[in-house]
């Protein structure tokens, strides 16, 4: 998170932080382990009232931002989500509603419901093996006169059993098309997956020739590639910000432990081999803050290096977040691998964010392509 | 230090003969392992009834090994073993590649527990327990780590007080594997608080199923409940079940640590374990299973990961053999076992990390149809358990630098003072 | 601590205006960098005449910057600078991407040397040297490390003894960059052996071209002779060229270390250096050049390496900015500059290692036709120089853990005793 | 190197060690830096008398081994070469003469000259970019009645300017063919390369339709694939053994330094952060010994896992050797990167062995292919 916030941003961040501390303390998170929704009743709607779902939506459609850049404001929420390992489809719902809002007034009602927290729309992007290469889209969207037909499988889909509708990214010939598909449409089948996170749930959603009115298309038929690319960047920025928050919390817990835990009559914090590892972790942590803030700025501004900065933040926090979380476990010793201890809440969140919307290795391939293109053009 | 009787008579059976005999036995009696879909402590939660069933099966296999003269290959004949060499044991191990084996009876039962008994027990103690262990009748666990202790196992707070011919034990131990289905425990306890920590320890053994021992199962972050914590309240142990001298328990403890490291390194001649380079529960073959399931067998990046893991595994077996031979031949100190412990972590880290990396998004979310990718995210998240249990890798690095390379010891504040005066936290 | 005058008047020129002015100047006057075939200290041996030619060119460019009001963007106006903000300097830096820049005058001349002078020099000292530096007339070096010293720069053995209005210096310094083509030196010397080491140091400055200073060039393993060792024999320095108080040199030294770390991290507002994420001498573009030369642009493994290097570079600039802002805003202690120094190594390690990895066998054997793969093996082998020069990464980790995180200091045997009694080897 | 040697092996190893200490101490190595041959006069011939070139040749052709396994004996020499950063084309000459000897009596005279140290034959295997993928062979060997024609370029070729002849691996349609080409044959052009090692030299050798009698073919025309595969294994084993020797020496120097060098009034060896890195290095070193010895045994015995063990040893020592050498430099501080210090002699040797005959990444691809094939067959 950046050093300097405006007082409005500071208030906004603190409001969310207090809400999360109050509503989803760690004891509540543990209790939600087997809850189908993974969140307390009314939690998401009340979060929406705090602004969680409106920051990427323009004012005309009921949204609005704290600063000039709604995405930057949203990363403050994401950061607190990471720090608290908070439940809720923050990334997927915001990416989906941003896409709906970008399509103008066509989906204004759906946008309003999401902004109000009355409905959850989840972005259905990734596909199952062997089509799980990052960016691969094989789900078919067919134009059939007044209707469109959606056929294929998406996986993993966040909040699959909780969502009221899915923003489905599909292929129409050479182009990409996005369709808003109600979860209860005929031909939609949802099966839950076991997910590493304690409260965020994923599932497989299959679409067996689901037929919808043509108005279900979001944007232009076959013309969604640019919008989908923007969604990838948004998701990358939000995952990076959330992971950084989780890293921050895990690191703080571990520093505290190192001062309190004595071994051979000395605190762990006095052992140089451990001190040097803490120094590396501190570097990873500050670099993660810097990378995810820079990515948020670049994507918010539409900077020329926005794609590269988003992928660098996603790749860096994915790799270094995992390393940091594993180091924190190691430095805690046995207690660090128990369910009883809080540390795994953050390890889980980091692991989930690392895996969704492109792994670090996937984003490295993207980065290489971007750099090669830049150099070839230079 | 060795659990192997060095004075054993010349082996009647050659390595090749034993290997052939083992092969015949295995093919006739043991089940080949299935391909893919490995379910282990790291990937999945094993339901209690399945766990009990596999412990029972392990006891059966061990009994079959006994009945076919394949149990305790390196254990002296007078205690029921074959009195043969580590090379014979290795021949058996290699034949086991790809087959079930009595996993639950190897560590900690055979080593460190039985190995410690062989090194430090009386003749009567060995006669009473070693054959029972080799028959699969006694499963042992370690009462070693304590909740407050971390890496410092010699800082045990569990206390034993003498009462006539008995000792009364009070305290808590933790990180014992499967205490709830085990039979006997080996326990390190403090018998003197008025001397520096290493000079006031004593080792005991006792049956676990007693009212004075309360067992709580620890849930790991992946939901697994393999490990336990035990609370001993006025537990009485006869003095005849003491191992080694009173207050000299650290002598036993050093041997215990040695065997624990060798066991973690799969480098104990009393342990029966197929080679990690092969396929099997943690063999390199599981990397191919994962890549196949991920449809990435032809992906150069996936192949790079497979190549990394296979290299790590392939180097492991010869390294452990080299260390074992180096220690046996006097080229290396016993403490070099820590090198094997550290390398054992390298192998397991690769085996728990690479499938997750191969899995892509499936590493974070899976279902029952995902075969070899099932639970890779759990395995990845819990992987550090292998770097902690059985002596942390940090302790191994201390031992290698200080005891193998002879570098100066870390400053400590607990070596010269009575144990009761050692600082235990910021306020003490 | 900052070399920037905080009280400067409101900038007359906006960041955008300066950027536009810089762009116009650069396009009109500076040469774009060629693609591929990067020859630097790590890859190749630069012949002395070429080295002198590039130093001369660097002086010319610096003079052009001065003449176009682009020198010393963050240096106070009274010493010849523009008195603007780090954001203005950054605008200039970004415009320099892909163009030549006065490489040889940045570090150590601008920082740490000029930065130390700005922080600790007298008004007269600054007036005498700062404008000369900004015009490219004075190139400075550090007389800091000593052959016996390693990471412990405060353990200096070079001695200064007072003689009336002068000091007489004797001793040896090492790892100064290009002493043989530089003009002035900043030198840390011991003025008192009877107090603990940090309390007996003083800082001096003097011209290098004197008979009492013998310069020997050090050959690095790749044949490069950029670094020097100097021997001072009865060198006389007027007391007016002393910086800071007598015996209080460590106060200056702490600032010196700070600026050195910031400079290593390319995070000094007084330094002009294009961003590492771009192309240029150590920009990520060189990874693409290497992969193209290796005909591996389409190889997923090569792309993974490029992606790794590009990620490392892209994170570098915002991290250094974050650290600079955090220190300036009081969110971080000055000591956090060590985080940037440590990360600077990560970037350079990637830039010196990945081309070698991309090169395959050409990394071990090359000729003049190998373009961007020329000398990658040399660069790889000499890479640790970047983790050593300018304060080792080990010292950076000490500082981060102890001074940023507040963890207990390492035990030392030199803090409370007179410096002459400190152990310096196994026999002392 | 293995713990237990026979007394013959021990004597053999010590003889080479003493010879190297006497003939090529570090001062001599430095002086050879610009020497075209990179070795003292008569050095190689005298080494050959000690057995350096005869161990992979059967007795009938003038060779012989100390133990049953000539390759194992040769790794003792390679180990000493690593410990002393010794000059000489040990790997390439032995691989070449093993191939000549494997072809029966056809090349007996050439074998005898190599065994006697009177001639050097170097294996020319790798090719220049873009044909430098490990195992790629595009150099053409054409059957032309009584003669064969060799056309193509090899690079890097060890001892290129020193060799009297080259064992050239080429392609004839679908098969591989090896040809013994005299260095002075018409159409052969040799240009030196700058090489990372101080005394071992590489060059580019091009063959412009070099015409030779059919008897120059080594083995069967188009039937050399299996022999070439064996050569890759031999080269891997010898590089691994030599690198392990160099690692051993660099490590010993650095341990000694850590005890002698004081910083802040304490020896470096007393700093835990450094101690833990020494512990890792000790592990890499012992593992390298174990891996290269196991590979030598497996290749010598023709074990089923010989290819995998050879590649694992090459990959492991390549990666961990480089890491260890860089750590040794780092722990030495500034002196470690100077030409004046001895450490770089071993860093150079490790770097060269890592790069020749397949990089660690190349061998990982081989290992993956081997493991996949094994698992598919199981």
């Amino acid at each position: 998170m950046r050093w300097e916030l405006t007082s409005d941003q500071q208030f906004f961040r603190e409001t969310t932080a207090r809400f999360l501390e109050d509503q989803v303390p760690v004891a509540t998170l543990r209790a939600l382990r087997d809850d189908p929704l993974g969140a307390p009743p009314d939690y998401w709607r009340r979060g929406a009232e705090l602004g969680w779902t409106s920051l990427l939506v323009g004012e005309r459609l009921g949204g609005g931002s704290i600063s000039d850049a709604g995405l930057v404001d949203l990363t403050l929420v994401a950061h607190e989500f990471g720090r608290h390992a908070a439940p809720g489809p923050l990334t997927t719902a915001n990416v989906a509603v941003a896409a709906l809002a970008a399509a103008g007034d066509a989906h204004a009602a759906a946008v309003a419901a999401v902004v109000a927290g009355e409905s959850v729309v989840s972005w259905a992007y990734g596909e199952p093996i062997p089509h799980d290469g990052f960016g691969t889209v094989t789900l078919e969207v067919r134009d059939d006169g007044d209707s469109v037909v959606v056929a294929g499988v998406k996986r993993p889909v966040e909040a699959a059993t909780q969502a009221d509708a899915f923003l489905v990214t599909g292929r129409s010939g050479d182009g990409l098309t996005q369709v808003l598909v109600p979860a209860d449409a005929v031909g939609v089948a949802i099966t839950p997956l076991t997910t590493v996170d304690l409260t965020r749930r994923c599932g497989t959603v299959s679409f067996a020739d689901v037929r919808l009115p043509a108005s279900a298309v979001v944007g232009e038929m076959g013309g969604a590639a640019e919008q989908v690319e923007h969604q990838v960047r948004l998701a990358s920025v939000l995952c990076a910000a959330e992971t950084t928050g989780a890293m921050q919390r895990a690191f703080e817990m571990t520093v505290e432990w190192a001062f309190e835990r004595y071994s051979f009559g000395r605190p762990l914090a006095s052992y140089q081999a451990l001190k040097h590892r803490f120094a590396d972790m501190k570097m990873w942590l500050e670099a993660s803050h810097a990378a995810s803030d820079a990515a948020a700025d670049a994507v918010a501004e539409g900077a020329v290096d926005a794609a590269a900065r988003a992928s660098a933040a996603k790749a860096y926090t994915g790799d270094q977040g995992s390393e940091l979380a594993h180091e924190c476990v190691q430095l805690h010793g046995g207690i660090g691998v128990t369910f009883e201890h809080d540390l795994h809440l953050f390890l889980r969140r980091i692991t989930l964010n690392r895996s969704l919307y492109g792994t670090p290795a996937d984003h490295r391939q993207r980065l290489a392509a971007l750099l090669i293109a830049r150099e070839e053009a230079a | 230090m060795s659990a192997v009787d060095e004075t054993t008579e010349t082996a009647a059976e050659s390595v090749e003969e034993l290997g052939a005999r083992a092969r015949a036995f295995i093919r006739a009696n043991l089940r080949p392992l299935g391909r893919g879909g490995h379910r282990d402590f790291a990937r999945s939660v094993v339901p209690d009834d399945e766990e009990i069933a596999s412990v029972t099966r392990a006891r059966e296999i061990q009994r079959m090994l006994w009945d076919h003269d394949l149990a305790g290959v390196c254990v002296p004949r007078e205690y029921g073993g074959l009195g043969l060499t580590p090379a014979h044991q290795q021949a058996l191990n290699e034949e086991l590649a790809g087959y079930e084996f009595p996993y639950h009876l190897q560590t900690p039962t055979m080593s460190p527990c039985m190995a410690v008994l062989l090194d430090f027990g009386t003749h009567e103690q060995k006669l009473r327990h070693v054959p029972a262990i080799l028959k699969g009748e006694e499963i042992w666990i370690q009462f070693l780590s304590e909740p407050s202790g971390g890496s410092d196992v010699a800082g045990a707070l569990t206390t034993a007080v003498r009462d006539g011919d008995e000792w009364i034990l009070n305290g808590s131990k933790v990180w014992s594997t499967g205490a709830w289905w085990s039979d006997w425990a080996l326990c390190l306890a403090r018998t003197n608080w008025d001397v520096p920590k290493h000079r006031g320890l004593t080792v005991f053994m006792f049956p676990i199923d007693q009212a004075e021992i309360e067992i709580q199962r620890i849930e790991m972050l992946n939901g697994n409940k393999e490990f336990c914590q035990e609370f001993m309240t006025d537990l009485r142990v006869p003095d005849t079940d003491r191992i080694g001298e009173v207050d000299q328990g650290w002598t036993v403890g050093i041997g215990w640590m040695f065997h624990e490291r060798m066991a973690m390194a799969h480098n104990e001649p009393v342990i029966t374990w197929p080679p990690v380079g092969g396929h099997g529960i943690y063999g390199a073959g599981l990397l191919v299973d994962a890549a196949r399931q991920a449809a990435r067998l032809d992906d150069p990046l996936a192949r790079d990961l497979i190549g990394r893991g296979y290299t790590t595994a392939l180097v492991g077996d010869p390294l452990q053999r080299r260390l074992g031979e180096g220690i046996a031949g006097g080229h290396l100190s016993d403490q070099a076992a820590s090198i094997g412990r550290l390398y054992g972590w390298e192998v397991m880290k690769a085996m728990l990390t690479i499938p997750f990396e191969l899995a892509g998004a499936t590493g974070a979310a899976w279902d029952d149809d995902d075969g070899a990718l099932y639970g890779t995210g759990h395995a990845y998240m819990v992987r550090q358990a292998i770097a902690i249990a059985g002596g942390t890798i940090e302790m191994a690095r201390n031992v290698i630098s200080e005891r193998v390379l002879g570098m100066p010891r870390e400053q400590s504040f607990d070596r010269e003072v009575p144990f009761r005066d050692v600082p235990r936290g910021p306020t003490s």
Side-chain angles (χ1 to χ4, degrees), chain B residues 8 19 42 50 76 80 90 101 115 162 176 183 210 215 223-225 246 281 287 325 329 341 346 395 408 416 419 428:
Chain B
T8 184
E50 281 183 28
Q90 200 192 321
F101 69 102
R162 186 136 195 173
S176 55
D183 307 303
Q210 304 192 50
I215 297 175
N224 188 287
K225 295 184 181 173
V246 174
I281 187 164
L287 305 177
E325 291 168 5
R341 190 271 173 267
E346 295 291 321
M395 285 303 293
E416 303 303 325
F419 185 70
S428 66

Side-chain angles (χ1 to χ4, degrees), chain A residues 5 7 30 33 35-37 88 108 132 141 144-145 166 179 184 205 208-209 227 254 320 323 360 371:
Chain A
L5 299 178
S7 58
R30 285 206 169 73
R33 178 184 197 177
D35 181 277
L37 290 186
D132 63 326
V141 178
D144 192 20
F166 301 101
V179 184
D184 58 3
V205 185
D209 283 336
Q227 172 62 31
T254 310
Q320 261 28 71
E323 283 306 302
L371 185 62

Side-chain angles (χ1 to χ4, degrees), chain B residues 40-77:
Chain B
D40 57 25
F41 88 97
R43 284 156 216 260
S44 58
V45 180
V46 181
D48 283 1
D49 53 349
E50 281 183 28
E51 179 80 354
I52 291 293
S54 28
V55 173
T56 304
R57 176 64 183 164
R59 290 186 194 258
E60 282 171 19
I61 300 171
Q62 187 64 37
R63 179 70 205 202
M64 286 195 281
L65 287 169
W66 171 271
D67 291 339
H68 288 79
D69 278 340
L70 287 166
V73 173
C74 292
V75 170
R77 286 166 173 270

Side-chain angles (χ1 to χ4, degrees), chain B residues 246-269:
Chain B
V246 174
D247 287 355
Q248 302 302 309
W250 194 240
T251 309
V252 181
I254 289 169
W256 188 340
M257 300 294 100
F258 168 74
H259 287 296
E260 184 173 44
R261 285 176 203 136
M262 295 295 269
M264 284 298 289
H266 300 167
N267 195 15
E268 266 284 45

Side-chain angles (χ1 to χ4, degrees), chain B residues 8-61:
Chain B
T8 184
E9 62 197 89
T10 306
E13 186 174 26
S14 74
V15 171
E16 292 69 27
E17 284 165 350
L18 185 136
R21 204 156 57 73
R23 184 159 55 249
F25 162 77
I26 289 164
R27 302 209 169 165
N29 295 283
L30 301 187
R31 303 168 191 152
L33 295 175
R35 311 302 305 278
H38 305 281
R39 301 286 176 100
D40 57 25
F41 88 97
R43 284 156 216 260
S44 58
V45 180
V46 181
D48 283 1
D49 53 349
E50 281 183 28
E51 179 80 354
I52 291 293
S54 28
V55 173
T56 304
R57 176 64 183 164
R59 290 186 194 258
E60 282 171 19
I61 300 171

Side-chain angles (χ1 to χ4, degrees), chain A residues 33 155 194 266 339 348, chain B residues 150 219 221 366 370 384 411:
Chain A
R33 178 184 197 177
R155 168 186 167 170
T194 306
R266 288 166 52 181
F339 189 78
R348 288 171 185 280
Chain B
E219 181 169 5
L221 63 89
W366 60 87
D370 285 326
Q384 298 303 130
Q411 192 186 24

Side-chain angles (χ1 to χ4, degrees), chain A residues 303-329:
Chain A
V304 290
D305 59 358
R309 295 223 165 266
S311 283
K314 181 73 165 69
Y316 190 86
T317 57
D319 274 336
Q320 261 28 71
S322 294
E323 283 306 302
L324 182 141
H326 277 134
E327 278 286 75
C328 288
V329 170

